[in-house]
Amino acid sequence: MPALFVGHGSPMNAIEDNAFTRTWAELAAKMPRPKAILCVSAHWQTQGVSLTSSAQPPTIHDFRGFPKPLFDLRYPAPGHPQFAAQLQSTLAMFRVKLDPERGLDHGAWSVLVKMYPQADVPVVQMSLDFTQKPTFHYNLGRMLAPFRDSGVLILATGNIIHNLGLMNPQQVDAPAWARNVSTTVKKKIEQRDHRALIDFEKLDPDIALAIPSAEHYLPLLYVLGAQGEHEAPAFFNDRVVMGAISMTGVAVGAV
């Protein structure tokens, strides 16, 4: 299976039909059907690493101020307790915890509802340990890489550029700082300069504008960690919206 980083953007993508959501659907149609999906989202941050272990994880509406149809939406994909337990065993050095109560947040289901609208692929979500440095997240991605060979889709979601304070819904063109950061990050991904991407705070003079906090960027490191030695990256949905949100996605492996 490939590994995907998806720029998930607004929760409204879950109920809208647009170029971004159609691309997500097209990617899913091109790939082999996963036996399971391991999702890492910007929106589940914990102290220590946790995994959803429910047989039927609930849909979490972790936002406010959006229309009722978005709150009415449910994504009833099954969980996979056995896979969660296998992951916990494999990642024993990371002292991973199983969480039987936690559901899927919008960083997961707003994308999955477009990729697999029948909600018939088992999903396990992994949290982001906010106490750890970027190297930790990259190395955890490396540990997850072998699961791709057994039919697991690694799906990480966030946004390479994510600054809600600078977001302007009326802005069509990306500002210069956002273009600069996007170009720099994509160049480093193409060059497989993972060390520079791990030390992202030094990447570009404008990086503090693009990544004022790291939670939306860190999921990218899981996909880079899971990248095979000879796998070239491919970009999709490569666009900055509202002046401060990058929808750029990255795929490694055949899609």
Side-chain angles (χ1 to χ4, degrees):
M1 294 296 299
L4 300 179
F5 172 79
V6 175
H8 66 67
S10 168
M12 289 296 291
N13 286 315
I15 58 174
E16 291 179 349
D17 175 31
N18 56 47
F20 304 126
T21 64
R22 288 192 290 273
T23 296
W24 300 342
E26 290 165 3
L27 285 171
K30 291 178 183 178
M31 294 187 296
R33 181 179 173 82
K35 294 181 180 177
I37 298 169
L38 176 59
C39 186
V40 181
S41 156
H43 294 280
W44 187 19
Q45 300 173 59
T46 54
Q47 186 171 352
V49 179
S50 293
L51 293 163
T52 59
S53 59
S54 167
Q56 195 65 56
T59 303
I60 301 175
H61 298 84
D62 50 339
F63 43 71
R64 59 185 179 181
F66 289 94
K68 186 175 183 295
L70 190 59
F71 288 93
D72 290 341
L73 190 152
R74 297 292 182 272
Y75 188 73
H80 199 323
Q82 297 82 6
F83 177 42
Q86 181 186 5
L87 281 166
Q88 183 187 42
S89 177
T90 301
L91 304 174
M93 70 177 66
F94 294 95
R95 299 182 179 180
V96 175
K97 301 174 184 177
L98 300 182
D99 188 336
E101 303 297 328
R102 172 75 186 192
L104 305 178
D105 60 56
H106 82 270
W109 59 259
S110 68
V111 175
L112 289 170
V113 74
K114 298 298 185 178
M115 294 184 70
Y116 301 101
Q118 300 303 314
D120 54 358
V121 180
V123 181
V124 171
Q125 187 168 344
M126 175 180 284
S127 70
L128 286 174
D129 184 349
F130 67 83
T131 69
Q132 297 291 342
K133 296 184 181 298
T135 301
F136 173 91
H137 300 282
Y138 178 81
N139 287 337
L140 188 48
R142 293 186 66 182
M143 291 288 293
L144 297 174
F147 287 99
R148 294 174 54 198
D149 294 332
S150 58
V152 173
L153 170 63
I154 297 175
L155 176 68
T157 80
N159 299 98
I160 293 172
I161 297 170
H162 186 269
N163 190 327
L164 297 182
L166 296 180
M167 188 175 66
N168 177 3
Q170 307 306 317
Q171 186 163 351
V172 176
D173 297 327
W177 65 264
R179 294 196 303 271
N180 292 343
V181 170
S182 182
T183 298
T184 299
V185 170
K186 288 185 295 180
K187 182 177 180 180
K188 295 299 183 181
I189 292 173
E190 289 175 333
Q191 294 173 339
R192 201 184 173 85
D193 190 350
H194 291 180
R195 175 49 55 189
L197 292 158
I198 292 168
D199 298 330
F200 66 90
E201 293 175 335
K202 305 172 186 176
L203 264 179
D204 188 276
D206 293 318
I207 202 71
L209 293 175
I211 310 175
S213 59
E215 74 282 351
H216 277 77
Y217 177 85
L218 291 175
L220 172 66
L221 298 182
Y222 287 77
V223 169
L224 298 179
Q227 184 178 9
E229 184 177 355
H230 301 294
E231 289 180 327
F235 300 104
F236 57 92
N237 286 346
D238 188 16
R239 182 180 159 200
V240 175
V241 298
M242 296 183 285
I245 305 292
S246 168
M247 295 298 293
T248 303
V250 183
V252 298
V255 176

